[in-house]
Amino acid sequence: MKKPSWHELRSSRQAAAVCALAFAAACTGTLGDTADGAGAPPTAGDDGPQAGSDPPPFQPAAGMLRRLTRTQFRNAVRDVFGVEVNIHELDADSWYGNFAVIGAAAVVTSERGVEQYHTAIERAVGAVFDDPAKRSEFIGCTPSGAENDACVRGFIEALGLRAWRRPLEAAELDQIVSVATNAATELGSAVEGARWATVALFTSPNFLYRPELGAPSADGSLRLTGYEMASRLAFLVWNSLPDQELLDQAASGGLETVEGVRAAASRLLEAPAGREAVGAFAEEYMRLDRIGTQAKDAELFPEYSAALQAAMVRDMRGTWEALAFDEQASALDLFSTTKVVVNKELAQLYGLDTAGLGSSTFEVRSLPADGPRVGILGKPGFLSQFANQKEGSPTLRGKFMREALMCTTVPPPPGDIALELPEPPADKPLTKRQRLELHRTAPACAGCHGLMDPLGLPLENFDAVGRYRTTDHGLPIDPSGNFNGEDVADARDLGMTISASDAVARCLVRKYYTYAAGHEERNVDRSVVDSLAASFAASGFNLRELVLDVVTNEAFSTVAPQP
């Protein structure tokens, strides 16, 4: 089942807003077919940035409808109802340009996915309405069940503004009120009427999808409306719904100026949820969702438990957040920091003292200053992802670095090439380096592996779960490699070298820009990226300043018409 078209959301909305009878609330027809080709990558018709001395003039990308990612859905439900949703029980995200937020403009919602969203919403609403104290506070008045119940109407109007990130139109409000009235009559309870009206609001595509389509401005360009800007800011910085203050700013025109947007974004960053501006980006950028999917040989790695995997994610996110918010440090320090965020299981893997730690007890610690691992590339959360069940993969680790840190595309291998490295005879062991060197003797393999392996080989001192080691199959490990033409001795030297790389800093700007803009980078974005990269360098590579520079750039607030 495809995403709804803008016409369905803005013009008709009847199917979106109303369940035939409130307690049915399944609204099976609310996620209709798209009119504009959902399923194709939202790249706005450009093949990406091209080399050249003078970048072409910036042109905005087409406006989009974006489905909430699984994390955004979870956060929104938590912030409204105080209930945690298991994101693994929801329809999967789509990934384009290595980001779920880009794929959100092209994702297709399955029939099963519709049911999963409805189930999650009904559970969350039930958790509130089945508790009299929570229900009373949530509604804020006493419903009467009458046809013109002022309590229910005011409740729906206020909750609808939060859920749909804009005021409900009069017809929409009437439709949801009728849901409450019909349900109250059918079920003999005014409270049940309010319950199913709430379900109808949050099972509507107007909750599940974020329109970023704009409206004509005085100069003729399409700019995000105040409410669209409030939503876009909130989902970028908090990864969740805008609060009442941000919605009030949207209503008053406070988000129509650069100064107003910067002030609003600064406030969002200062809130506890503001850490999501960097943490959520890190989670998608580093593909931390894959940590829980990487099976390991239980005999070789008995410690690889769910608690350890969860700690790996928290360690990675927590380090990004601490450097950006607690220390206001350079983003390049990510590659040289010794800071870790550990529970008992992860501290054991790092070789740290576990005193005072448990599986759910975390502390910020520091690794030895002269130790073998530094930065995010030395973290088990990175190392375990790019590994198989028994050993690490220099090729996969190098491929990620080449593409994510250096913004270079590695072409796929020829279809007739064997991807598995042959196992050496038991009586003639070889290190992974030696096996890769044999593999690269094939001309068809040498080119691509030459791009990846020298980057990943310095990490060979770390096994498939990120444990430190000095031998491979009983042979000493040679961890030397090369980064961007510069020889490096080992993982520590690699991290220090990357931490001084302006090219990595520029690539990070490009990645954050595509994440925030919600589309893959195009050649016409190059002038924007150039400006952002210059400001990023001038700020000392401050991630918070990068966020503010992105949201106040015209590329964040302007769109082109849908094709």
Side-chain angles (χ1 to χ4, degrees):
M1 181 173 289
K2 298 180 180 179
K3 67 179 181 179
S5 67
W6 177 237
H7 174 75
E8 289 172 310
L9 281 178
R10 175 169 275 174
S11 302
S12 61
R13 304 193 190 205
Q14 280 86 355
V18 183
C19 302
L21 197 59
F23 68 89
C27 290
T28 332
T30 60
L31 299 179
D33 291 339
T34 180
D36 56 2
T43 57
D46 198 289
D47 292 331
Q50 306 296 320
S53 56
D54 295 319
F58 168 74
Q59 296 178 17
M64 294 287 178
L65 291 175
R66 306 184 191 279
R67 196 183 78 181
L68 302 187
T69 66
R70 297 200 294 187
T71 300
Q72 289 169 347
F73 181 93
R74 180 198 65 197
N75 291 351
V77 170
R78 178 201 62 208
D79 291 348
V80 173
F81 300 104
V83 173
E84 287 294 332
V85 172
N86 182 352
I87 62 174
H88 301 294
E89 295 178 352
L90 301 177
D91 217 21
D93 293 325
S94 289
W95 294 77
Y96 285 117
N98 211 42
F99 288 110
V101 292
I102 297 179
V107 65
V108 174
T109 304
S110 66
E111 295 285 354
R112 175 59 179 156
V114 174
E115 296 176 5
Q116 291 168 330
Y117 289 122
H118 282 263
T119 298
I121 291 300
E122 289 185 27
R123 286 175 180 168
V125 173
V128 172
F129 274 78
D130 293 343
D131 184 313
K134 291 181 179 178
R135 180 181 67 231
S136 177
E137 181 180 2
F138 188 74
I139 298 176
C141 55
T142 303
S144 68
E147 185 172 349
N148 296 313
D149 188 345
C151 167
V152 166
R153 191 174 190 87
F155 163 68
I156 292 171
E157 187 172 22
L159 186 60
L161 173 63
R162 184 88 191 279
W164 294 4
R165 289 85 70 187
R166 60 168 179 79
L168 275 64
E169 297 171 4
E172 294 170 336
L173 181 58
D174 289 342
Q175 290 165 353
I176 301 296
V177 169
S178 71
V179 168
T181 302
N182 291 342
T185 301
E186 192 73 19
L187 300 173
S189 167
V191 166
E192 288 301 292
R195 175 202 295 263
W196 292 108
T198 302
V199 171
L201 280 173
F202 284 89
T203 53
S204 164
N206 293 286
F207 167 70
L208 189 59
Y209 285 87
R210 296 192 291 129
E212 296 175 354
L213 299 159
S217 61
D219 62 6
S221 63
L222 280 179
R223 293 188 172 272
L224 298 183
T225 67
Y227 287 108
E228 288 174 336
M229 177 60 87
S231 177
R232 193 170 207 188
L233 276 177
F235 278 106
L236 176 65
V237 181
W238 285 352
N239 219 21
S240 186
L241 301 169
D243 63 0
Q244 189 60 51
E245 184 173 347
L246 193 57
L247 291 169
D248 289 344
Q249 288 174 302
S252 67
L255 301 180
E256 295 177 3
T257 65
V258 169
E259 295 76 17
V261 170
R262 187 176 184 90
S266 296
R267 179 182 70 84
L268 298 182
L269 285 168
E270 291 298 327
R275 298 172 82 90
E276 285 282 318
V278 168
F281 167 68
E283 188 157 343
E284 291 202 18
Y285 177 52
M286 304 297 294
R287 286 305 304 265
L288 303 185
D289 62 296
R290 296 188 293 206
I291 291 176
T293 68
Q294 303 299 305
K296 304 298 177 186
D297 187 302
E299 292 186 7
L300 294 175
F301 309 107
E303 72 271 47
Y304 195 67
S305 63
L308 179 60
Q309 293 170 53
M312 288 177 178
V313 174
R314 183 158 177 175
D315 178 31
M316 187 73 80
R317 279 194 58 144
T319 300
W320 278 78
E321 293 168 356
L323 288 175
F325 289 89
D326 302 332
E327 300 179 12
Q328 292 281 301
S330 164
L332 292 177
D333 287 357
L334 286 163
F335 302 100
S336 60
T337 183
T338 58
K339 185 181 297 296
V340 292
V341 181
V342 294
N343 66 352
K344 179 180 179 180
E345 288 79 3
L346 190 54
Q348 287 174 334
L349 193 152
Y350 276 127
L352 298 174
D353 182 8
T354 61
L357 298 174
S359 294
S360 58
T361 306
F362 287 81
E363 288 184 5
V364 177
R365 300 275 184 87
S366 291
L367 300 174
D370 58 351
R373 67 169 99 217
V374 294
I376 55 176
L377 300 182
K379 289 182 177 294
F382 170 75
L383 297 162
S384 66
Q385 281 191 68
F386 302 103
N388 59 36
Q389 294 188 27
K390 295 185 177 183
E391 58 186 4
S393 171
T395 301
L396 292 179
R397 291 167 179 175
K399 183 177 187 292
F400 177 86
M401 285 186 273
R402 177 68 64 178
E403 295 186 333
L405 304 184
M406 304 171 75
C407 289
T408 302
T409 300
V410 178
D416 58 348
I417 294 295
L419 300 181
E420 297 293 328
L421 293 179
E423 291 289 340
D427 60 340
K428 295 181 180 180
L430 297 174
T431 65
K432 180 61 76 70
R433 174 187 287 274
Q434 292 168 330
R435 293 162 64 195
L436 284 170
E437 287 173 349
L438 289 174
H439 188 65
R440 287 200 301 271
T441 58
C445 302
C448 290
H449 277 274
L451 292 173
M452 300 179 288
D453 296 352
L455 292 169
L457 284 168
L459 301 172
E460 267 295 272
N461 279 127
F462 303 102
D463 66 16
V465 298
R467 288 186 310 201
Y468 182 72
R469 62 182 189 162
T470 58
T471 62
D472 179 10
H473 290 85
L475 301 174
I477 290 173
D478 172 6
S480 62
N482 186 281
F483 177 80
N484 207 22
E486 186 172 349
D487 289 338
V488 295
D490 50 26
R492 180 182 183 81
D493 197 16
L494 174 68
M496 294 300 182
T497 300
I498 294 175
S499 71
S501 173
D502 290 340
V504 169
R506 179 180 172 83
C507 182
L508 183 58
V509 170
R510 293 173 62 181
K511 295 297 184 181
Y512 190 80
Y513 172 71
T514 61
Y515 171 83
H519 61 77
E520 293 187 276
E521 188 183 355
R522 309 158 301 151
N523 197 35
V524 293
D525 293 311
R526 191 150 57 89
S527 61
V528 175
V529 171
D530 288 347
S531 174
L532 292 172
S535 298
F536 190 46
S539 74
F541 305 115
N542 186 291
L543 284 167
R544 283 169 49 109
E545 287 301 313
L546 177 60
V547 175
L548 294 174
D549 286 343
V550 167
V551 300
T552 53
N553 192 286
E554 68 168 332
F556 191 77
S557 59
T558 58
V559 294
Q562 285 189 305

